[in-house]
Amino acid sequence: MPEQLLSVREVAEILGTWKTSGERFPRRLIEERRITFVKIGRHVRIPASAVAELIAANTVQPITARRIATNRNAA
């Protein structure tokens, strides 16, 4: 079975940008060639795996805060 192809609007909804910028963000990703896409005639579709890869590549893991010992009594 072929991989699921998503419309630009569906990608915007997945990324949470639909309400703020509509389709602009996913279209910019396509224009800048920052995401894999398929062009079928005049239709542009994005593989679901490409969206997952984009999210994974841009996920920033938190750093654990370390307590730094300071000498507050020294003056």
Side-chain angles (χ1 to χ4, degrees):
M1 184 166 174
E3 181 177 5
Q4 181 182 8
L5 297 176
L6 306 169
S7 69
V8 175
R9 181 178 181 155
E10 289 171 325
V11 173
E13 289 173 357
I14 290 169
L15 296 177
T17 61
W18 176 249
K19 290 186 179 183
T20 56
S21 65
E23 296 178 359
R24 283 191 313 223
F25 181 65
R27 289 198 183 278
R28 191 175 83 216
L29 293 173
I30 291 165
E31 180 182 333
E32 295 172 357
R33 302 292 199 260
R34 291 172 49 199
I35 194 167
T36 302
F37 66 96
V38 178
K39 192 152 183 174
I40 304 168
R42 64 184 189 120
H43 301 284
V44 175
R45 298 291 182 257
I46 301 169
S49 63
V51 178
E53 288 172 17
L54 177 76
I55 292 170
N58 290 288
T59 299
V60 179
Q61 298 298 325
I63 56 173
T64 56
R66 292 184 294 169
R67 213 174 204 143
I68 299 173
T70 59
N71 188 356
R72 296 183 183 209
N73 293 333

